Amino acid sequence: MIRRVALCAAALVLPLSAAGDPLAPTGRWSANTAGHAPVPPMGWNSWNAFNSDVDEEKVLASAKALVDTGLARLGYRYVNIDDGWWLKRRQPDGRLIIRTARFPSAATGTDPSFRPLTDRLHAMGLKAGIYSDIGRNSCGQIYTPDFKNQPEGTVAEREVGLYGHVDQDIRLFFAEWNFDLIKVDGCGVRGLPAEAPRVRAGLYRALPPLIDTQSLGDTNISAVRTLYEAVGAAIRRHAGHRDYVFSLCLWGSADVRSWGKDVGNMSRTSDDIQPVWARMLTNLDTVTHRALYAHPGSWNDADMLFVGSGAFDEAHLTEARSHFSLWSILNSPLIIGYDLRKLTPALLTIFGNREIVALNQDAAGNQAVLAYDSDQAQFFVKSLADGSKAVALFNRTATPVDVVLTAGHLKMLPTRDVALRDLWSGKEHRFRGELPLTLAPHETIVFRATGARQLPDGVYLSEQPGRVNPAFDGVLLPEADPTIHRSITPWIGTRGGGEHVQYAGWGGAEADRAPYGKLLRVARTEYDTGIGVLAGSRLEVRNADFRRFTARVGVNDTGLPAAGTITFEVWGDGRLLARSPAKAFGEPAELLAADTTGVRILELVARGAGARPDLPTQPATWADAALLR
Ligand code: GAL
């Protein structure tokens, strides 16, 4: 896990939008706010239920079920058609043609149109979503031999993806067909090198891959970002005047962690979920350390729900509740992937748990932060808009686990009562200091908690990740994201050596942790609260009438004595408010305070200096970082 500072590499990964110095304060919030995702989008998608075997009857039946069961009123509004809807790209005008045999209402004359279907969904009070790919071809064409409803015709007619047709297709989807959401997959810029068997066989045109999911070195990050930015710009042109959602599907590859939040409304953090316990854990693990990368307008997407199927079916309701609780508290979009024609009362109780859904849809938009972590149990704590907290206590294993929840996990005082409401059983509890509990195998207990907060006159930044944006997180050499593809993937089974851990290291900013999930510790003093981020970073913080910022700043003990010093700066709306002396490894953290009266955007800059180029980037600690009234 060596993080080398290589100046030449910096040019590769600087955010494209930040012409010049990425550490230069701008006084602006740079994460995406375009489109409409103030809270995580909710709804239904055809893929997990039907794969590409999708048709109008299935889509409408699920839409009707959303309305009839009251789920739509709870927020499940998006009805999304995934892969499998297209027949071909007509030549020579390039218009996309819908498979009308499967979507009869689209047969509206010479030019098939989804408008009757989207009109119908809109009339039901719902929203409509469509699917495309950033390359020339779709995932099904490239990766799935027995894919139903493959596009048909000549090589050109089967090029149904956006590549070379961005404006034309986005205009068609949003202006003509009136869709409200688009999910843009990335297989077309990943799987069609000249030597691919299907290219050799003359089925598809080669497109030199921009993405290699196994190698960031072989990935053209800026080219991928540029393609997605062009789609975003086209959506703004054709639908900028109304609500829309732009969903990125790059499975955590192409360093999308660092830029997806600036470009789209939701961004996939991992490869496809399966209805398998271990795979659900894999997807979960890809979002748990990313709380600072999710905000109103741009969410981490752990993939669609598999509640109702396989390991999360009627016979496994504990597992189903866990999957649903975790996605909710981590602010992943709640997109049902179940054939709702088969919905049972037990499953409806899960999708329809109003209080759990409310955690996901909470207006403050704070993804839960990992407050306790082990291979067996994890606690996720989320700060809610009304000042209360929610905590999910999760047993990852197949045996019971004894755990102790403390007031400290909730950043509440141990000397005062904490009132808890169990959001699955409805039971109320009270404790002072500590609460011992036993988690059943695979169980998640979710409490809403009120008590006396440790910081009565303000908030810790790590309690407000939705207000903190790592505009530049100091990761100069992007290494693999923690996409821990360790499950058995259905398409290769257990052939070969398996999918090895890709935990090569990831130095992104973390709440209550140092980069790489290490402890926040400066000069041997441990802090349970704060922000950890590599030097050479700039965090943007939305202020809300707080008048003072304080933090204890220093070089984290995971750094190295010879890796240089860090100077910490606090900026307010583009003006320097406070600066620390250069801090070296082993020096105690020191208080840095600034008057933030009237400031809208605070920027926290950690500048590294004097590092030997052969040494890792020094980790910066903003311990106890807080905004005070
Ligand atoms: C995958 C994507 C899935 C689904 C599928 C369709 O790349 O992650 O969610 O959309 O393609 O072929």
Side-chain angles (χ1 to χ4, degrees):
M1 204 156 73
I2 295 183
R3 321 182 287 274
R4 265 170 260 98
V5 178
L7 290 178
C8 56
L12 289 175
V13 293
L14 292 187
L16 298 182
S17 49
D21 178 7
L23 300 195
T26 63
R28 279 191 323 109
W29 176 261
S30 61
N32 178 56
T33 52
H36 185 73
V39 291
M42 292 173 67
W44 176 89
N45 176 297
S46 53
W47 180 253
N48 286 356
F50 304 115
N51 283 53
S52 59
D53 194 11
V54 57
D55 63 34
E56 184 166 344
E57 195 275 318
K58 289 171 176 163
V59 172
L60 281 173
S62 289
K64 187 168 178 309
L66 289 180
V67 174
D68 293 349
T69 55
L71 289 176
R73 269 199 313 279
L74 256 189
Y76 295 92
R77 292 241 158 70
Y78 288 91
V79 173
N80 302 337
I81 306 169
D82 209 279
D83 208 344
W85 62 266
W86 32 36
L87 182 66
K88 64 179 174 191
R89 187 180 289 285
R90 189 169 69 192
Q91 303 298 320
D93 67 352
R95 184 184 168 93
L96 285 169
I97 302 299
I98 300 161
R99 188 179 292 272
T100 48
R102 290 268 173 161
F103 292 91
S105 79
T108 52
T110 43
D111 288 347
S113 169
F114 267 131
R115 190 62 190 248
L117 180 58
T118 61
D119 281 351
R120 191 125 173 230
L121 292 170
H122 289 145
M124 295 165 83
L126 300 168
K127 304 219 173 232
I130 190 78
Y131 169 90
S132 191
D133 194 283
I134 200 79
R136 292 193 191 106
N137 296 95
S138 69
C139 292
Q141 290 177 307
I142 298 168
Y143 290 111
T144 326
D146 56 354
F147 198 70
K148 291 217 165 59
N149 301 320
Q150 290 281 19
E152 294 170 10
T154 63
V155 168
E157 283 172 327
R158 284 184 285 107
E159 290 181 351
V160 291
L162 287 163
Y163 200 85
H165 295 273
V166 170
D167 193 73
Q168 178 180 22
D169 290 359
I170 295 296
R171 201 195 70 73
L172 183 68
F173 298 151
F174 284 91
E176 196 175 323
W177 292 348
N178 216 13
F179 279 100
D180 309 288
L181 173 150
I182 188 168
K183 168 175 167 184
V184 180
D185 222 325
C187 295
V189 294
R190 169 180 165 192
L192 290 175
E195 65 275 15
R198 292 179 202 190
V199 173
R200 285 223 178 125
L203 271 176
Y204 304 115
R205 243 199 299 179
L207 187 60
L210 300 175
I211 297 177
D212 181 338
T213 56
Q214 301 295 321
S215 165
L216 275 170
D218 273 339
T219 296
N220 190 335
I221 297 166
S222 62
V224 176
R225 178 177 175 155
T226 301
L227 288 177
Y228 276 85
E229 281 179 337
V231 173
I235 303 175
R236 286 195 294 281
R237 274 199 301 283
H238 296 295
H241 57 290
R242 60 188 176 90
D243 295 347
Y244 66 82
V245 169
F246 179 20
S247 161
L248 275 53
C249 183
L250 285 167
W251 332 280
S253 73
D255 201 35
V256 71
R257 175 210 85 250
S258 71
W259 58 267
K261 66 182 174 59
D262 303 334
V263 174
N265 298 114
M266 51 195 269
S267 176
R268 281 272 297 277
T269 54
S270 56
D271 204 343
D272 298 8
I273 191 169
Q274 307 293 329
V276 171
W277 182 253
R279 183 71 222 186
M280 187 278 287
L281 292 180
T282 299
N283 283 44
L284 169 72
D285 292 345
T286 63
V287 290
T288 54
H289 289 271
R290 298 183 179 206
L292 296 170
Y293 294 80
H295 321 99
S298 54
W299 306 103
N300 291 322
D301 176 6
D303 203 359
M304 300 167 287
L305 296 164
F306 249 127
V307 171
S309 308
F312 312 101
D313 68 6
E314 286 271 334
H316 301 90
L317 292 175
T318 301
E319 286 76 6
R321 280 191 292 268
S322 278
H323 175 19
F324 191 71
S325 304
L326 294 164
W327 262 234
S328 294
I329 203 161
L330 287 159
N331 283 8
S332 189
L334 297 179
I335 308 289
I336 296 171
Y338 186 66
D339 180 354
L340 289 178
R341 296 174 302 187
K342 301 187 193 146
L343 187 65
T344 61
L347 293 175
L348 180 57
T349 310
I350 296 179
F351 293 128
N353 185 321
R354 195 172 285 281
E355 289 176 287
I356 299 279
V357 168
L359 302 184
N360 182 266
Q361 299 288 293
D362 184 74
N366 296 314
Q367 177 177 322
V369 169
L370 197 52
Y372 172 82
D373 193 17
S374 77
D375 285 345
Q376 290 175 285
Q378 292 177 312
F379 302 170
F380 297 97
V381 175
K382 177 178 169 82
S383 302
L384 300 164
D386 66 359
S388 69
K389 302 246 172 172
V391 57
L393 307 149
F394 172 44
N395 178 358
R396 296 171 68 98
T397 75
T399 49
V401 177
D402 293 330
V403 298
V404 176
L405 173 69
T406 69
H409 289 130
L410 302 167
K411 302 198 195 298
M412 289 179 184
L413 294 180
T415 48
R416 303 268 294 278
D417 270 11
V418 177
L420 299 176
R421 177 176 165 74
D422 183 323
L423 301 189
W424 286 112
S425 72
K427 288 203 185 109
E428 312 271 344
H429 305 262
R430 223 161 240 286
F431 77 99
R432 200 173 269 219
E434 296 192 350
L435 177 70
L437 293 159
T438 301
L439 301 174
H442 294 168
E443 187 188 20
T444 303
I445 296 179
V446 187
F447 292 124
R448 192 145 179 163
T450 37
R453 301 182 54 249
Q454 280 175 7
L455 204 61
D457 60 341
V459 289
Y460 291 118
L461 293 194
S462 61
E463 291 179 291
Q464 302 282 308
R467 294 183 162 273
V468 181
N469 175 37
F472 191 65
D473 61 18
V475 181
L476 295 182
L477 275 185
E479 297 181 49
D481 278 5
T483 48
I484 314 163
H485 301 290
R486 284 184 290 183
S487 305
I488 298 173
T489 44
W491 41 95
I492 54 167
T494 59
R495 290 177 202 92
E499 301 223 345
H500 285 262
V501 175
Q502 296 179 36
Y503 218 115
W506 176 57
E510 297 221 26
D512 291 345
R513 289 274 148 179
Y516 303 97
K518 307 271 189 157
L519 286 181
L520 282 177
R521 214 184 79 162
V522 180
R524 300 199 193 133
T525 300
E526 233 179 74
Y527 297 89
D528 61 12
T529 299
I531 305 280
V533 61
L534 293 179
S537 56
R538 179 170 59 86
L539 308 171
E540 297 161 353
V541 182
R542 283 189 195 274
N543 191 17
D545 296 331
F546 291 104
R547 296 208 301 227
R548 202 171 146 76
F549 169 83
T550 62
R552 294 184 184 278
V553 297
V555 176
N556 206 72
D557 285 358
T558 47
L560 290 172
T565 59
I566 305 178
T567 305
F568 295 78
E569 298 169 356
V570 182
W571 294 71
D573 294 334
R575 278 184 309 118
L576 182 66
L577 304 180
R579 175 185 278 145
S580 77
K583 303 290 295 176
F585 178 89
E587 286 178 10
E590 75 175 63
L591 185 69
L592 188 64
D595 182 347
T596 59
T597 312
V599 166
R600 286 186 314 108
I601 300 288
L602 221 72
E603 283 163 278
L604 308 182
V605 179
R607 286 183 202 278
R612 277 191 4 219
D614 58 329
L615 291 181
T617 305
Q618 201 79 295
T621 291
W622 299 85
D624 294 336
L627 283 164
L628 307 172
R629 294 227 151 71

